[in-house]
Amino acid sequence: MDIDWEALRAIANEANTHAYAPYSKFPVGAAAIVDDGRIISGANVENASYGLTLCAECALVSSLHMTGGGRLVAFTCVDGRGNILMPCGRCRQLLYEHSAPGMLLETVSGVKTIDEVIPDAFGPRQLAEYEKNGATP
């Protein structure tokens, strides 16, 4: 699959303008391509209690399900200056949960697959394998 990373990043940058980041002053925008061809986006939404802040990846996954579901095939994330960001570990797990096998991520060190950025992950594919083999985790 040919991904126009520049165009996807532009959508993430536009999403960034909708971030609510009054505390950190660190807006984040994310964009992804879904397996049915849709492009979705999200932005971070902070909270005064900090721990309840929603990452851009969370907003993106919510958008995924609000607009028909599916699996993510390509993802990028940017800061307020348009620089590429690497999702944190929590967000990598969230993305893995909703990814198509081999989903591509634009990272600070180049394009990588979801399996490269969260090796030996546990998620729906592993649960399906357990169920197929009649086992429980």
Side-chain angles (χ1 to χ4, degrees):
M1 171 182 234
D2 257 351
I3 307 296
D4 184 345
W5 291 107
E6 190 173 322
L8 196 59
R9 217 173 314 111
I11 294 166
N13 277 307
E14 196 282 324
N16 197 348
T17 67
H18 301 284
Y20 175 73
Y23 308 106
S24 71
K25 309 285 191 262
F26 194 80
V28 177
I33 300 172
V34 182
D35 57 0
D36 64 6
R38 281 178 296 135
I39 296 177
I40 57 173
S41 62
N44 60 322
V45 178
E46 293 182 346
N47 186 285
S49 71
Y50 297 110
L52 295 178
T53 292
L54 298 176
C55 299
E57 295 87 343
C58 293
L60 181 132
V61 167
S62 180
S63 177
L64 172 70
H65 288 283
M66 292 296 294
T67 61
R71 293 283 165 201
L72 304 173
V73 296
F75 172 87
T76 192
C77 190
V78 297
D79 67 16
R81 295 181 178 152
N83 299 313
I84 298 166
L85 294 174
M86 173 60 101
C88 72
R90 174 184 173 270
C91 289
R92 290 180 208 185
Q93 178 65 36
L94 179 68
L95 292 169
Y96 181 82
E97 182 86 11
H98 301 281
S99 69
M103 180 185 89
L104 299 174
L105 286 89
E106 186 178 39
T107 76
V108 295
S109 57
V111 175
K112 297 181 183 267
T113 67
I114 188 68
D115 296 308
E116 289 176 295
V117 300
I118 186 165
D120 302 321
F122 185 81
R125 292 188 283 282
Q126 289 72 28
L127 284 172
E129 193 61 33
Y130 276 103
E131 290 171 7
K132 185 174 102 178
N133 294 323
T136 57

